[in-house]
Amino acid sequence: MKRLVTLLVAALISFTNLTAQDSAKKAKLLLDEVSTKMGAYSNMVIGFSSTLVNREAGITNDPPIRGNITIAGEKYNLEYLGNNFLFDGKNLAVINHEEKEINITRGDIDEEDGFIYPSKLLTFYKEGYNYKMGKLKNDKGRKIQYIDLTPIDSNSDIVQVCLGVDAKTKHIYKLVQIGSNGAETTFTITKFKSNQPVSKKFFSFDKEKYTDLGYLID
Protein backbone atom coordinates (compact mmCIF):
# COMPACT_ATOMS: atom_id res chain seq x y z
CA MET A 1 0.00 0.00 0.00
CA LYS A 2 2.81 2.38 0.94
CA ARG A 3 4.56 1.61 -2.34
CA LEU A 4 1.37 2.40 -4.27
CA VAL A 5 1.00 5.74 -2.48
CA THR A 6 4.64 6.56 -3.17
CA LEU A 7 4.20 5.78 -6.87
CA LEU A 8 1.04 7.89 -7.06
CA VAL A 9 2.77 10.85 -5.38
CA ALA A 10 5.77 10.51 -7.70
CA ALA A 11 3.45 10.38 -10.72
CA LEU A 12 1.58 13.46 -9.51
CA ILE A 13 4.81 15.41 -8.97
CA SER A 14 6.07 14.36 -12.41
CA PHE A 15 2.78 15.42 -14.05
CA THR A 16 2.84 18.76 -12.22
CA ASN A 17 6.42 19.42 -13.33
CA LEU A 18 5.61 18.54 -16.95
CA THR A 19 2.54 20.79 -16.87
CA ALA A 20 4.59 23.68 -15.47
CA GLN A 21 7.30 23.16 -18.10
CA ASP A 22 4.70 23.07 -20.88
CA SER A 23 3.11 26.28 -19.57
CA ALA A 24 6.50 28.01 -19.41
CA LYS A 25 7.34 26.84 -22.95
CA LYS A 26 4.04 28.17 -24.34
CA ALA A 27 4.52 31.47 -22.51
CA LYS A 28 8.04 31.86 -23.94
CA LEU A 29 6.82 31.11 -27.46
CA LEU A 30 4.13 33.77 -27.15
CA LEU A 31 6.56 36.33 -25.69
CA ASP A 32 9.02 35.61 -28.51
CA GLU A 33 6.22 36.08 -31.05
CA VAL A 34 5.25 39.40 -29.47
CA SER A 35 8.88 40.54 -29.41
CA THR A 36 9.41 39.59 -33.06
CA LYS A 37 6.16 41.24 -34.19
CA MET A 38 6.59 44.53 -32.34
CA GLY A 39 10.36 44.64 -32.76
CA ALA A 40 10.02 44.63 -36.55
CA TYR A 41 8.35 48.06 -36.61
CA SER A 42 10.55 51.07 -37.40
CA ASN A 43 8.66 52.92 -34.67
CA MET A 44 5.56 52.71 -32.51
CA VAL A 45 3.28 55.52 -31.37
CA ILE A 46 1.43 54.44 -28.24
CA GLY A 47 -1.21 56.07 -26.11
CA PHE A 48 -1.82 54.55 -22.68
CA SER A 49 -3.60 54.98 -19.38
CA SER A 50 -2.28 54.02 -15.96
CA THR A 51 -3.87 53.45 -12.58
CA LEU A 52 -2.37 52.93 -9.15
CA VAL A 53 -4.28 51.23 -6.33
CA ASN A 54 -3.02 50.45 -2.84
CA ARG A 55 -6.01 49.50 -0.73
CA GLU A 56 -3.97 49.10 2.45
CA ALA A 57 -2.65 52.64 2.14
CA GLY A 58 -5.97 54.01 0.86
CA ILE A 59 -4.39 55.17 -2.41
CA THR A 60 -6.15 55.19 -5.76
CA ASN A 61 -5.87 57.50 -8.76
CA ASP A 62 -9.17 58.10 -10.48
CA PRO A 63 -9.52 59.07 -13.28
CA PRO A 64 -6.55 57.19 -14.79
CA ILE A 65 -3.38 59.05 -15.71
CA ARG A 66 -2.88 59.21 -19.45
CA GLY A 67 0.33 59.39 -21.42
CA ASN A 68 1.88 58.99 -24.85
CA ILE A 69 5.13 57.45 -25.99
CA THR A 70 6.86 57.14 -29.35
CA ILE A 71 9.50 54.40 -29.53
CA ALA A 72 12.09 53.82 -32.27
CA GLY A 73 14.57 51.14 -31.31
CA GLU A 74 16.15 52.25 -28.03
CA LYS A 75 15.08 55.85 -28.52
CA TYR A 76 11.84 57.23 -27.13
CA ASN A 77 9.84 60.40 -26.49
CA LEU A 78 7.54 59.96 -23.50
CA GLU A 79 4.89 62.35 -22.15
CA TYR A 80 3.89 61.15 -18.69
CA LEU A 81 3.03 62.57 -15.27
CA GLY A 82 3.41 66.12 -16.55
CA ASN A 83 6.98 65.52 -17.72
CA ASN A 84 8.61 64.94 -21.09
CA PHE A 85 11.23 62.18 -21.20
CA LEU A 86 13.59 62.27 -24.20
CA PHE A 87 16.07 59.43 -24.69
CA ASP A 88 18.26 59.60 -27.79
CA GLY A 89 19.96 56.27 -27.18
CA LYS A 90 22.73 57.80 -25.05
CA ASN A 91 21.36 60.54 -22.83
CA LEU A 92 18.04 61.04 -21.05
CA ALA A 93 16.51 64.49 -20.67
CA VAL A 94 13.63 64.83 -18.21
CA ILE A 95 11.77 68.07 -18.88
CA ASN A 96 9.52 69.43 -16.13
CA HIS A 97 7.41 72.06 -17.88
CA GLU A 98 5.66 73.25 -14.72
CA GLU A 99 8.88 74.00 -12.84
CA LYS A 100 10.78 74.84 -16.04
CA GLU A 101 13.59 72.52 -14.98
CA ILE A 102 15.50 69.95 -17.02
CA ASN A 103 17.66 67.13 -15.74
CA ILE A 104 20.05 65.40 -18.14
CA THR A 105 21.71 62.08 -17.28
CA ARG A 106 23.88 59.57 -19.09
CA GLY A 107 22.01 56.38 -19.93
CA ASP A 108 18.38 55.38 -19.59
CA ILE A 109 15.97 55.43 -16.62
CA ASP A 110 17.26 53.68 -13.51
CA GLU A 111 15.07 50.64 -12.80
CA GLU A 112 16.47 49.81 -9.37
CA ASP A 113 13.25 50.93 -7.68
CA GLY A 114 11.47 47.95 -9.24
CA PHE A 115 8.97 50.06 -11.17
CA ILE A 116 8.26 49.15 -14.79
CA TYR A 117 8.27 52.43 -16.68
CA PRO A 118 6.16 52.95 -19.83
CA SER A 119 9.35 53.07 -21.91
CA LYS A 120 10.09 49.49 -20.78
CA LEU A 121 6.66 47.99 -21.44
CA LEU A 122 7.83 46.16 -24.53
CA THR A 123 11.17 44.86 -23.23
CA PHE A 124 11.10 44.45 -19.44
CA TYR A 125 10.13 40.76 -19.57
CA LYS A 126 13.13 39.66 -21.62
CA GLU A 127 15.27 38.92 -18.58
CA GLY A 128 14.89 38.49 -14.83
CA TYR A 129 11.55 36.65 -14.84
CA ASN A 130 10.08 33.17 -14.74
CA TYR A 131 6.81 32.93 -16.64
CA LYS A 132 3.82 30.75 -17.31
CA MET A 133 0.57 31.00 -19.22
CA GLY A 134 -2.20 32.82 -17.38
CA LYS A 135 -5.90 33.26 -18.05
CA LEU A 136 -7.53 33.99 -21.41
CA LYS A 137 -9.99 36.85 -20.88
CA ASN A 138 -12.49 38.79 -22.96
CA ASP A 139 -11.94 42.56 -22.76
CA LYS A 140 -14.53 44.57 -24.69
CA GLY A 141 -14.73 41.91 -27.38
CA ARG A 142 -10.98 41.35 -27.56
CA LYS A 143 -9.42 38.07 -26.51
CA ILE A 144 -6.52 38.83 -24.18
CA GLN A 145 -4.09 36.09 -23.24
CA TYR A 146 -2.33 36.80 -19.97
CA ILE A 147 1.15 35.63 -19.07
CA ASP A 148 2.09 35.49 -15.38
CA LEU A 149 5.65 36.58 -14.64
CA THR A 150 7.47 36.17 -11.34
CA PRO A 151 10.82 37.88 -10.64
CA ILE A 152 13.77 35.50 -10.32
CA ASP A 153 15.18 37.78 -7.62
CA SER A 154 13.29 36.93 -4.42
CA ASN A 155 14.19 40.37 -3.01
CA SER A 156 12.57 42.24 -5.90
CA ASP A 157 10.15 45.05 -5.10
CA ILE A 158 7.86 43.43 -7.67
CA VAL A 159 5.90 40.37 -6.53
CA GLN A 160 4.13 39.52 -9.78
CA VAL A 161 3.45 40.89 -13.24
CA CYS A 162 0.52 39.92 -15.47
CA LEU A 163 1.15 40.78 -19.11
CA GLY A 164 -1.90 40.84 -21.38
CA VAL A 165 -1.36 40.10 -25.08
CA ASP A 166 -4.00 40.61 -27.77
CA ALA A 167 -4.48 37.06 -29.11
CA LYS A 168 -5.22 38.36 -32.62
CA THR A 169 -2.62 41.10 -33.19
CA LYS A 170 0.09 39.70 -30.86
CA HIS A 171 0.52 43.20 -29.45
CA ILE A 172 0.91 43.98 -25.76
CA TYR A 173 -2.41 45.33 -24.48
CA LYS A 174 -2.16 45.51 -20.71
CA LEU A 175 0.31 45.14 -17.88
CA VAL A 176 -0.58 44.68 -14.22
CA GLN A 177 2.26 45.01 -11.72
CA ILE A 178 1.88 44.01 -8.07
CA GLY A 179 4.47 45.39 -5.66
CA SER A 180 5.71 44.03 -2.36
CA ASN A 181 4.06 47.03 -0.67
CA GLY A 182 0.63 45.94 -1.91
CA ALA A 183 0.44 48.54 -4.68
CA GLU A 184 -1.13 47.45 -7.96
CA THR A 185 -0.15 49.44 -11.05
CA THR A 186 -1.97 48.88 -14.34
CA PHE A 187 -0.95 50.14 -17.78
CA THR A 188 -3.46 49.79 -20.62
CA ILE A 189 -2.58 50.61 -24.22
CA THR A 190 -5.40 52.73 -25.63
CA LYS A 191 -3.88 53.72 -28.98
CA PHE A 192 -1.32 52.01 -31.18
CA LYS A 193 0.19 52.99 -34.53
CA SER A 194 3.33 51.68 -36.18
CA ASN A 195 5.79 52.83 -38.85
CA GLN A 196 4.77 56.48 -38.62
CA PRO A 197 6.68 59.40 -40.22
CA VAL A 198 8.79 60.59 -37.28
CA SER A 199 11.71 63.03 -37.44
CA LYS A 200 15.02 61.92 -35.88
CA LYS A 201 15.06 65.24 -34.00
CA PHE A 202 11.89 64.12 -32.21
CA PHE A 203 14.06 62.13 -29.79
CA SER A 204 16.79 64.73 -29.36
CA PHE A 205 17.02 67.44 -26.70
CA ASP A 206 17.25 70.98 -28.12
CA LYS A 207 19.34 72.79 -25.50
CA GLU A 208 19.25 76.14 -27.29
CA LYS A 209 15.45 76.08 -27.51
CA TYR A 210 14.93 75.52 -23.80
CA THR A 211 17.69 77.93 -22.79
CA ASP A 212 15.90 80.67 -24.74
CA LEU A 213 12.67 79.72 -22.95
CA GLY A 214 14.32 80.25 -19.57
CA TYR A 215 14.48 76.62 -18.40
CA LEU A 216 17.01 75.66 -15.75
CA ILE A 217 19.19 72.86 -17.13
CA ASP A 218 21.06 70.58 -14.76
Side-chain angles (χ1 to χ4, degrees):
M1 184 65 179
K2 289 183 179 180
R3 179 175 174 77
L4 177 59
V5 172
T6 301
L7 289 173
L8 287 173
V9 171
L12 179 60
I13 292 174
S14 178
F15 176 75
T16 301
N17 288 338
L18 287 173
T19 301
Q21 291 173 9
D22 185 57
S23 180
K25 184 178 180 180
K26 287 181 179 179
K28 184 181 187 305
L29 287 173
L30 180 56
L31 287 173
D32 287 345
E33 190 172 0
V34 170
S35 180
T36 299
K37 178 75 177 288
M38 302 187 80
Y41 298 130
S42 61
N43 60 60
M44 292 173 284
V45 180
I46 299 170
F48 62 89
S49 65
S50 69
T51 60
L52 171 64
V53 176
N54 189 328
R55 294 177 179 82
E56 293 181 3
I59 299 174
T60 179
N61 64 283
D62 189 22
I65 298 171
R66 299 191 178 279
N68 294 279
I69 184 170
T70 299
I71 303 173
E74 294 184 351
K75 301 177 182 181
Y76 61 82
N77 184 322
L78 167 66
E79 292 280 354
Y80 186 55
L81 296 173
N83 296 319
N84 186 198
F85 300 77
L86 291 173
F87 184 60
D88 61 6
K90 294 181 179 179
N91 299 309
L92 173 67
V94 181
I95 306 170
N96 185 322
H97 295 293
E98 184 176 349
E99 301 295 333
K100 299 189 74 172
E101 294 180 350
I102 300 171
N103 180 259
I104 300 176
T105 56
R106 181 75 175 176
D108 203 354
I109 291 175
D110 185 357
E111 296 181 80
E112 291 183 358
D113 57 6
F115 183 74
I116 299 173
Y117 290 87
S119 58
K120 303 298 181 184
L121 278 177
L122 309 179
T123 58
F124 81 93
Y125 55 83
K126 291 188 176 182
E127 56 183 43
Y129 288 89
N130 292 316
Y131 32 76
K132 64 180 181 179
M133 295 296 282
K135 296 180 179 179
L136 178 64
K137 297 183 178 180
N138 188 300
D139 192 323
K140 299 178 182 178
R142 301 170 67 178
K143 290 184 178 180
I144 308 299
Q145 175 64 61
Y146 283 87
I147 299 172
D148 298 332
L149 300 99
T150 305
I152 294 174
D153 181 3
S154 59
N155 295 317
S156 173
D157 291 327
I158 299 174
V159 175
Q160 185 181 28
V161 177
C162 296
L163 185 68
V165 175
D166 188 308
K168 182 179 180 180
T169 64
K170 298 302 186 292
H171 288 167
I172 292 175
Y173 170 67
K174 182 176 289 189
L175 178 145
V176 181
Q177 172 186 310
I178 301 173
S180 58
N181 61 354
E184 183 176 304
T185 306
T186 302
F187 288 99
T188 304
I189 292 179
T190 57
K191 180 186 70 175
F192 182 90
K193 293 182 179 180
S194 61
N195 301 330
Q196 298 298 295
V198 177
S199 168
K200 293 182 179 179
K201 294 182 179 180
F202 189 61
F203 305 101
S204 301
F205 173 66
D206 189 338
K207 183 177 181 180
E208 183 177 348
K209 169 187 173 182
Y210 287 100
T211 299
D212 291 342
L213 291 172
Y215 279 66
L216 177 64
I217 302 175
D218 183 7

